[in-house]
Amino acid sequence: MLNVLFAARSEKWAEYQAPLAAAFADAGIAATISPDLPAPDVDYIVYAPNSDVQDFRPFARLKAVLNLWAGVEEIIGNPTLTVPLTRMADEGMTAGMVDYVVAHVMRYHVGLDAHVINPGHVWDNTPPPLARERSVAFLGIGALGGACAQALAALGFRISGWSRSPKSLQNVDCHSGRDGLRAMLSSAEIVVLLMPLTDATRHTLNSETLGWMRPGARIINPGRGPLIDDGALLAALASGQIAHATLDVFHEEPLPKDHPYWAHPNVTVTPHIASATRPHLAAERIAENVRRSEAGLAMLDVADKNAGY
């Protein structure tokens, strides 16, 4: 019998209790799953970085920490964490991100705002370009970015992608390194940010790199707020270098009510809704990783502490 500690905000237990019990039963794993277990008896922790558990040293027999969030930047550097840490990458999270990114790229592509927000009732029947004539760039082509890139490539868009190290992805013109970043940004009309947040990726879009972008380009950020320097983006919006930005994630959340993004005519704020963890799908992923661990198999989506994600 395994002991699995649920370490997240107390209100989350009501959402996860039944899905976790069902997923473990379906996987044939006998386990006590509870938010209240003695630390020395815990085998696995189902974890959210905003929980009260920040010191892992009391968990003497701990085998792994199973993160409920896709991002691990708030836990991966914890010096008391010495066991494997997994990221959440369930199919619902990926599907939700694809839906969000495709919707907002299409919104920009067909010029939807010009028709929905048209106080002068201007009759402009200029057609948009075809998808194959529109360039969309992804900063980050991992599990989420790669899935979104493939979905848009299937619709005919010209897709490029940038990653920290060289990658190859079907139907995506892949770039890496500083020169690759500049080349990609200078040609893209729509840029989507889906990189993990690390010291190396913080403020990837700043006054210099925003200046590399094609004048009038548009930005979609459903990844991490600090990937963008807010002051630099506001300046680029003011100058017209960036035409519009759709932002789902921010340095501080909830976004303060007096933040200039709220009232900016060329910024769309969405409240961190691009992709969410669905309890029943997350529970299945967690149970599968525990099953793999107990069978001596490699777990899925193990974070790389050296890379920071």
Side-chain angles (χ1 to χ4, degrees), residues 31-114:
T32 298
I33 310 168
S34 170
D36 185 21
L37 291 170
D41 298 338
V42 170
D43 298 293
Y44 295 91
I45 300 179
V46 177
Y47 188 76
N50 62 358
S51 78
D52 293 334
V53 176
Q54 299 296 322
D55 184 354
F56 295 93
R57 287 173 297 185
F59 299 93
R61 75 184 207 193
L62 185 64
K63 300 176 183 179
V65 172
L66 310 161
N67 205 38
L68 286 169
W69 299 359
V72 294
E73 63 271 10
E74 295 183 32
I75 176 181
I76 199 165
N78 188 320
T80 70
L81 180 62
T82 58
V83 298
L85 167 70
T86 64
R87 295 175 284 105
M88 180 51 64
D90 70 83
E91 60 174 309
M93 181 174 289
T94 301
M97 185 64 76
V98 170
D99 289 348
Y100 181 94
V101 170
V102 169
H104 285 282
V105 166
M106 291 301 296
R107 168 194 168 201
Y108 284 149
H109 173 58
V110 302
L112 192 60
D113 288 3

Side-chain angles (χ1 to χ4, degrees), residues 107-125:
R107 168 194 168 201
Y108 284 149
H109 173 58
V110 302
L112 192 60
D113 288 3
H115 303 293
V116 174
I117 307 169
N118 188 4
H121 302 163
V122 176
W123 183 269
D124 181 0
N125 61 356

Side-chain angles (χ1 to χ4, degrees), residues 162-180:
W162 185 88
S163 54
R164 190 175 61 94
S165 56
K167 283 188 176 181
S168 177
L169 199 62
Q170 188 176 8
N171 300 318
V172 177
D173 181 19
C174 295
H175 301 259
S176 61
R178 185 174 176 83
D179 290 344

Side-chain angles (χ1 to χ4, degrees), residues 219-236:
I219 292 169
I220 301 170
N221 185 16
R224 292 289 180 266
L227 296 175
I228 298 176
D229 181 330
D230 286 347
L233 176 57
L234 288 166

Side-chain angles (χ1 to χ4, degrees), residues 3-299:
N3 288 320
V4 179
L5 177 68
F6 184 83
R9 293 285 175 87
S10 58
E11 62 270 18
K12 290 295 182 181
W13 177 235
E15 298 177 24
Y16 279 92
Q17 183 177 8
L20 283 169
F24 273 68
D26 289 345
I29 302 169
T32 298
I33 310 168
S34 170
D36 185 21
L37 291 170
D41 298 338
V42 170
D43 298 293
Y44 295 91
I45 300 179
V46 177
Y47 188 76
N50 62 358
S51 78
D52 293 334
V53 176
Q54 299 296 322
D55 184 354
F56 295 93
R57 287 173 297 185
F59 299 93
R61 75 184 207 193
L62 185 64
K63 300 176 183 179
V65 172
L66 310 161
N67 205 38
L68 286 169
W69 299 359
V72 294
E73 63 271 10
E74 295 183 32
I75 176 181
I76 199 165
N78 188 320
T80 70
L81 180 62
T82 58
V83 298
L85 167 70
T86 64
R87 295 175 284 105
M88 180 51 64
D90 70 83
E91 60 174 309
M93 181 174 289
T94 301
M97 185 64 76
V98 170
D99 289 348
Y100 181 94
V101 170
V102 169
H104 285 282
V105 166
M106 291 301 296
R107 168 194 168 201
Y108 284 149
H109 173 58
V110 302
L112 192 60
D113 288 3
H115 303 293
V116 174
I117 307 169
N118 188 4
H121 302 163
V122 176
W123 183 269
D124 181 0
N125 61 356
T126 305
L130 298 174
R132 63 173 179 258
E133 299 167 327
R134 180 82 72 187
S135 57
V136 182
F138 282 83
L139 298 185
I141 46 175
L144 293 177
C148 295
Q150 295 292 357
L152 287 167
L155 293 173
F157 288 93
R158 299 200 318 264
I159 304 298
S160 59
W162 185 88
S163 54
R164 190 175 61 94
S165 56
K167 283 188 176 181
S168 177
L169 199 62
Q170 188 176 8
N171 300 318
V172 177
D173 181 19
C174 295
H175 301 259
S176 61
R178 185 174 176 83
D179 290 344
L181 179 63
R182 183 165 191 162
M184 191 184 76
L185 288 179
S186 66
S187 63
E189 297 170 82
I190 302 171
V191 173
V192 183
L193 284 81
L194 277 170
M195 294 183 292
L197 178 62
T198 67
D199 289 342
T201 63
R202 186 177 297 273
H203 290 181
T204 293
L205 289 190
N206 52 49
S207 57
E208 180 181 17
T209 54
L210 287 166
W212 296 347
M213 291 178 65
R214 184 171 174 166
R218 292 167 169 82
I219 292 169
I220 301 170
N221 185 16
R224 292 289 180 266
L227 296 175
I228 298 176
D229 181 330
D230 286 347
L233 176 57
L234 288 166
L237 288 163
S239 70
Q241 173 68 10
I242 302 301
H244 200 281
T246 294
L247 308 174
D248 187 58
V249 286
F250 306 92
H251 284 75
E252 181 183 350
E253 296 185 5
L255 186 66
K257 293 183 182 296
D258 60 352
H259 196 285
Y261 283 154
W262 282 114
H264 200 294
N266 295 325
V267 174
T268 297
V269 171
T270 59
H272 204 143
I273 58 168
S275 186
T277 304
R278 275 71 173 178
H280 66 290
L281 295 175
E284 291 173 2
R285 195 72 164 192
I286 289 165
E288 173 61 12
N289 266 336
V290 171
R291 186 195 68 78
R292 285 169 172 260
S293 175
E294 290 299 300
L297 303 173
M299 291 188 296

